[in-house]
């Protein structure tokens, strides 16, 4: 994955744009799900950097997503009336990046004091953080309080969602496969030994947290401009759990597996729509069965590539 | 400043009411092989953890290359040139043999996130240099053929050796070995003795060896310090210690006479 990686990213983005060009001919329902999948890939792959590769247990991904979503939505709602129509893609890009950056700042703010904690303790703190974010948006009038934000323009196309999905996969993949990235996995395997090898565990953990939060923020922005509506309830604890399940099901630290899991778990509730009331029960049961049958993750394509970069 | 690489001055650490290490003085020269022995619970590993920054001493000072090491974290001390192995092997379990060493080699390489993402020429050359460096180390220690194997799948003796290689990959000036002979059979021990001597000469570094096995310690160390209940009760050449009644009583017992 050396120079080929950049080429791969360009091809993926071009492909996303090509598909998007013909999107008018697609069934709108299916197109919507395809965009959902792209957003969920961003969420799952970025959380995988934190929970999978670096071995931390964050339950706050929905919180970072909310920061990004609300920031981007507020930004476009305020500026779309005064900006010319031709500037719309630029405005959207800035909104997304701004959302990502603020989410990254939130990640830094949570990460620095809490990443001395391990395992369960970190999980609880990040869970608390996610709830604080949600309550903050729920009570702040400027963000629509409990009713949420409405009338967000529908700017998230297939190209936007999947280009950023490709970018997320590229960034996480490149980081983890480089010599620099051994540090993440070393921290995952054994923090004390990592420290003894000159690797600063806190630094790596914070880095993983900030990068993960950044992409969660981007995903939030895409989500806001896809659903055209944001409510604090959409970013509750269950949303974080959904993303964690994708990571665990795909196999911690295995990007390809996590992508497949994100696709499957986005499709599954849609496929089960016919079962109406019992839908969530079947969904939960399927996850339990999968976890019992494949505790190491659904898609373990052998060990992580050993030796070669 | 004199030539001593590591200097402990009246280093003390208390855990509640227990004084694990008490006013320990110890010096290690730049190219010296020193042993640290003592019965179980004598404070040997604690002394290691003090030197490597895992614990901060409650009293006394540690100097490395003339600089006090107070408040430095383990990774900062490694950067300055102190590397270690662990009593209970702590390899990176999900990584290959190659990657275990690669994780340690990165310490002295300049590239970071930006290079890893941009993947320009500098990055590629850097990664190639890392690979060469890792393979060189693995070949010196006859681990090259295991490069793609998972680290924890190696035979026990090889895991110990890999841990030493990984520590050497950080380019230390002082290597601390925590009971490297534990669980080894006599043949492996003999091989280990040779290996330690080889490392000291080839890499021109100092070695501090904590060890239970008298055969190993007495065989290779130029100087040995004896700890008992956190206090240094003797220090000298192996021959001197064998004749020291205090050491015999506390540790060696009748068999060593």
């Amino acid at each position: 994955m050396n120079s080929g990686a950049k080429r791969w990213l360009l091809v993926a983005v071009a492909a996303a744009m090509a598909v998007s060009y013909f999107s008018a001919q697609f069934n709108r329902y299916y197109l919507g799900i395809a965009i959902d999948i792209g957003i969920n890939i961003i969420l799952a792959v970025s959380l995988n950097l934190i929970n999978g590769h670096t071995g931390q247990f964050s339950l706050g991904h929905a919180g970072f997503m909310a920061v990004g979503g609300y920031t981007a939505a507020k930004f476009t709602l305020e500026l779309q009336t005064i900006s010319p129509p031709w500037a719309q893609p630029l405005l959207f890009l800035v909104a997304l990046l701004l959302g990502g950056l603020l989410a990254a700042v939130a990640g830094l703010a949570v990460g620095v004091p809490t990443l001395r904690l391990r395992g369960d303790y970190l999980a609880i703190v990040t869970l608390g953080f996610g709830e604080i974010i949600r309550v903050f948006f729920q009570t702040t009038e400027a963000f629509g309080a409990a009713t949420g934000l409405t009338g967000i323009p529908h700017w998230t196309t297939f190209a936007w969602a999947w280009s950023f999905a490709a970018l997320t996969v590229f960034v996480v993949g490149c980081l983890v496969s480089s010599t620099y990235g051994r540090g993440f996995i070393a921290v995952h395997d054994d923090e004390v030994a990592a420290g003894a090898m000159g690797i600063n565990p806190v630094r790596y953990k914070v880095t993983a947290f900030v990068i993960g939060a950044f992409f969660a923020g981007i995903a939030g922005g895409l989500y806001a401009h896809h659903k055209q509506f944001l409510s604090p309830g959409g970013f509750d604890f269950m949303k974080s759990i959904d993303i964690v399940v994708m990571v665990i099901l795909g196999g911690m630290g295995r990007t390809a597996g996590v992508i497949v899991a994100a696709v499957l778990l986005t499709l599954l509730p849609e496929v089960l729509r016919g079962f109406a009331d019992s839908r969530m029960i079947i969904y939960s049961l399927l996850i339990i069965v999968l976890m019992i049958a494949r505790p190491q993750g659904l898609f373990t394509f052998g060990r992580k590539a050993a030796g070669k970069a | 400043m004199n030539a001593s690489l590591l200097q402990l001055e009246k280093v003390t650490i208390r855990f509640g009411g227990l004084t694990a290490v008490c006013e320990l003085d110890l010096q290690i020269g730049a190219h010296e092989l020193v042993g640290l022995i003592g019965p179980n619970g004598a404070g040997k590993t604690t002394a290691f953890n003090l030197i490597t920054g895992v614990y901060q001493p409650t009293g006394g000072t540690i100097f490395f290359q003339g600089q006090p090491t107070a408040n430095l974290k383990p990774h900062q001390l490694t950067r300055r040139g102190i590397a270690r192995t662990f009593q209970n092997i702590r390899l990176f379990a999900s990584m290959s043999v190659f990657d275990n060493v690669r994780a340690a080699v990165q310490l002295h390489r300049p590239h970071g996130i930006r290079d890893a993402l941009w993947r320009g020429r500098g990055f590629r050359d850097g990664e190639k240099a890392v690979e060469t460096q890792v393979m060189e180390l693995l070949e010196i220690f006859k681990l090259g053929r295991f490069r793609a194997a998972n680290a924890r799948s190696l035979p026990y003796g090889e895991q110990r050796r890999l841990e030493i290689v990984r520590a050497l990959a950080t380019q230390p000036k002082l290597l601390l070995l925590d009971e490297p002979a534990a669980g080894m059979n006599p043949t492996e021990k003999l091989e280990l003795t040779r290996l330690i001597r080889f490392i000291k000469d080839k890499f021109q570094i100092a070695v501090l060896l904590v060890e239970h096995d008298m055969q190993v310690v007495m065989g290779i160390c130029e100087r040995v310090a004896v700890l008992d209940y956190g206090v240094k009760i003797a220090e000298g050449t192996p021959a001197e210690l064998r004749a020291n009644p205090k050491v015999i009583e506390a540790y060696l017992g009748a068999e060593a006479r």
Side-chain angles (χ1 to χ4, degrees):
Chain A
M1 207 198 202
N2 266 339
S3 62
K6 259 191 283 184
R7 209 170 310 138
W8 176 89
L9 176 67
L10 289 177
V11 169
V13 170
M17 285 176 176
V19 172
S20 202
Y21 184 75
F22 298 107
S23 64
Q25 276 127 59
F26 296 152
N27 178 318
R28 286 207 51 180
Y29 169 68
Y30 290 130
L31 186 65
I33 293 173
I35 292 173
D36 282 341
I37 290 175
I39 293 172
N40 280 338
I41 289 176
I42 301 174
L43 288 169
V45 170
S46 60
L47 183 68
N48 191 31
L49 178 65
I50 302 171
N51 286 25
H53 296 297
T54 319
Q56 306 307 301
F57 202 96
S58 168
L59 278 175
H61 228 48
F64 298 129
M65 188 187 172
V67 172
Y70 272 98
T71 308
K74 194 73 190 160
F75 186 77
T76 48
L77 282 176
E78 295 295 331
L79 290 183
Q80 68 165 334
T81 46
I82 53 167
S83 79
W86 56 263
Q88 177 251 310
L90 190 67
L91 188 66
F92 189 32
L93 184 66
V94 173
L96 289 177
L97 292 179
L98 195 66
L101 282 178
L102 273 185
V105 170
L108 190 68
V110 184
V112 169
T114 59
L115 284 172
R116 289 162 211 289
L117 303 171
R118 289 176 196 192
D120 320 356
Y121 304 102
L122 181 67
I124 292 167
V125 171
T126 52
L127 170 68
F129 156 78
E131 288 300 288
I132 290 172
I133 296 283
R134 188 177 61 79
V135 171
F136 168 77
F137 287 120
Q138 200 161 1
T139 51
T140 307
E141 218 40 69
F143 289 107
T147 43
L149 286 179
T150 51
I152 305 164
H154 188 254
W155 287 351
T156 301
T157 60
F158 185 89
W160 282 102
W162 282 78
S163 295
F164 272 106
L167 183 69
T168 314
V169 173
F170 171 82
V171 167
V172 173
C174 281
L175 276 186
V176 171
S177 69
S178 68
T179 295
Y180 167 83
R182 293 300 98 184
F184 294 109
I185 302 161
V187 170
H188 164 277
D189 283 357
D190 189 330
E191 256 190 81
V192 176
M197 294 307 117
I199 292 163
N200 182 350
V202 175
R203 179 109 182 239
Y204 269 95
K205 286 196 269 183
V206 171
T207 304
F209 232 67
V210 168
I211 294 174
F214 174 79
F215 282 107
I218 298 269
L222 290 166
Y223 176 86
H225 293 79
H226 175 48
K227 302 289 179 200
Q228 299 177 266
F229 165 70
L230 282 184
S231 83
F235 300 107
D236 65 353
F237 167 61
M238 281 314 295
K239 181 68 194 172
S240 288
I241 295 284
D242 280 346
I243 310 168
V244 170
V245 169
M246 288 173 195
V247 172
I248 295 177
L249 201 65
M252 298 271 226
R254 289 192 168 74
T255 306
V258 168
I259 294 171
V260 180
V263 175
L264 276 188
L265 289 183
T266 319
L267 289 178
L268 200 54
E270 302 298 334
V271 173
L272 294 175
R273 246 175 226 289
F275 296 93
D277 292 346
S278 49
R279 181 165 76 113
M280 284 324 284
I281 299 175
I282 297 175
Y283 175 77
S284 311
L285 275 177
L286 273 174
I287 288 173
I288 293 173
V289 170
L290 282 174
M291 258 8 282
I292 292 172
R294 299 281 299 174
Q296 71 277 48
L298 255 187
F299 311 97
T300 33
F301 306 125
R303 302 292 311 176
K304 252 174 245 159
K308 275 273 174 232
Chain B
M1 276 298 127
N2 57 13
S4 80
L5 181 67
L6 181 80
Q7 189 170 1
L8 278 68
E9 273 178 13
K10 294 198 181 309
V11 170
T12 303
I13 185 165
R14 285 190 199 85
F15 297 108
L18 176 80
T19 308
V21 171
C22 183
E23 304 212 333
L24 176 64
D25 291 318
L26 189 68
Q27 279 196 19
I28 299 173
H31 185 206
E32 212 180 358
L33 212 167
V34 179
L36 187 62
I37 61 171
N40 278 329
K44 303 182 299 280
T45 297
T46 308
F48 252 46
N49 285 336
L50 285 166
I51 296 171
T52 53
V54 177
Y55 300 141
Q56 291 296 327
T58 41
T61 324
I62 302 172
F63 296 93
F64 184 68
Q65 295 184 303
Q67 304 280 325
T69 66
N71 298 322
L72 288 178
K73 298 258 161 32
H75 68 265
Q76 292 167 316
L77 286 165
T78 309
R79 192 165 283 275
R80 294 192 178 197
I82 301 181
R84 71 174 292 181
T85 64
F86 294 89
Q87 195 173 340
N88 42 345
I89 305 174
R90 302 185 83 145
L91 290 168
F92 300 128
S94 74
M95 291 190 214
S96 66
V97 168
F98 179 88
D99 276 356
N100 261 273
V101 182
R102 183 147 82 115
V105 161
Q106 70 148 339
L107 175 63
H108 295 290
R109 301 220 63 94
H111 71 240
I113 298 183
R114 219 172 320 133
D115 305 279
L117 290 181
W118 183 248
R119 310 219 144 198
R121 172 166 288 280
F123 170 79
R124 265 171 281 153
D125 293 347
E127 295 288 85
K128 229 172 263 159
V130 166
E131 171 153 3
T132 320
Q133 208 177 335
V134 171
M135 283 318 289
E136 243 166 50
L137 270 173
L138 286 178
E139 291 300 344
I140 292 175
F141 294 93
K142 302 186 185 71
L143 288 167
R145 67 200 163 101
F146 295 118
R147 65 171 284 175
N150 179 270
R152 295 310 289 257
S153 72
L154 292 190
Y156 186 79
E158 265 80 24
Q159 287 195 31
R160 284 253 175 239
R161 203 157 67 209
L162 175 58
E163 224 198 1
I164 296 175
V165 176
R166 190 180 65 171
L168 284 172
T170 64
Q171 300 173 10
K173 299 181 181 77
L174 171 66
L175 176 65
L176 294 91
L177 301 174
D178 200 349
E179 299 206 18
M184 285 190 172
N185 64 37
T187 328
E188 287 173 323
K189 276 178 195 166
L190 198 67
E191 209 174 296
L192 178 76
T193 345
R194 272 196 222 116
L195 183 76
I196 295 174
R197 230 187 253 130
F198 168 76
I199 289 169
K200 192 196 129 186
D201 294 335
K202 164 110 186 163
F203 295 89
Q204 293 288 310
I205 56 175
V207 179
L208 176 63
L209 177 69
V210 160
E211 188 49 70
H212 256 311
D213 193 275
M214 281 306 117
Q215 198 194 336
V216 174
V217 175
M218 296 302 192
I220 52 172
C221 291
E222 292 145 13
R223 196 153 52 80
V224 180
V226 187
L227 279 184
D228 192 22
Y229 292 108
V231 182
K232 187 170 83 177
I233 57 169
E235 187 175 343
T237 63
E240 284 165 4
L241 292 184
R242 274 202 203 95
N244 187 326
K246 259 163 115 185
V247 179
I248 293 169
E249 191 194 335
Y251 191 52
L252 294 180
E255 56 159 333
R257 259 179 282 186

